Amino acid sequence: MIPLRILIAEDEAVIAMLIGEVLAGLGHHVCATVSSADELVAAALMYQPELIIADAGLHDSSGLMAVATILKVDAVPHIFMSGNAAAVRASCPDAIVLEKPFDEADLEQAIAAAVAMLKSQ
């Protein structure tokens, strides 16, 4: 897989760090890690990532809404993480969703699916 510049939105610092380490081990570059929807939108504009991995629920904000805002400006491949994947799929039926907890293989498959989905559009 071609190395990607990835933006992570996760409000649990330890989880964000672990995801970043796995991504680095896969050869990707984490351009930024943020913990709120507002930071996610700002970082996407600033860093222009090739992929966004966003927690669907960011403390008091919505990763879903933040990604929807970003998509109005740029078609960025994205993956949502959630402890309740069914709820995310109910809101966004075509979304690629990783149910927490997930493993490295699940993450790799989700990345490949997100990139393929954008290329097919």
Side-chain angles (χ1 to χ4, degrees), residues 37-60:
D38 289 341
E39 291 173 329
L40 175 54
V41 172
L45 291 171
M46 180 182 301
Y47 296 105
Q48 298 182 341
E50 296 168 307
L51 176 69
I52 295 171
I53 301 176
D55 190 348
L58 296 168
H59 281 303
D60 60 350

Side-chain angles (χ1 to χ4, degrees), residues 16-105:
M17 181 187 69
L18 291 172
I19 293 169
E21 288 176 0
V22 170
L23 291 169
L26 294 172
H28 301 294
H29 170 71
V30 176
C31 58
T33 302
V34 299
S35 61
S36 74
D38 289 341
E39 291 173 329
L40 175 54
V41 172
L45 291 171
M46 180 182 301
Y47 296 105
Q48 298 182 341
E50 296 168 307
L51 176 69
I52 295 171
I53 301 176
D55 190 348
L58 296 168
H59 281 303
D60 60 350
S61 57
S62 168
L64 301 175
M65 298 292 280
V67 169
T69 299
I70 293 163
L71 294 177
K72 290 177 185 176
V73 176
D74 191 10
V76 181
H78 54 281
I79 299 166
F80 293 115
M81 303 177 288
S82 178
N84 185 352
V88 175
R89 287 188 183 102
S91 296
C92 305
D94 296 330
I96 297 169
V97 183
L98 279 170
E99 179 121 29
K100 291 178 180 178
F102 53 85
D103 61 25
E104 184 175 320

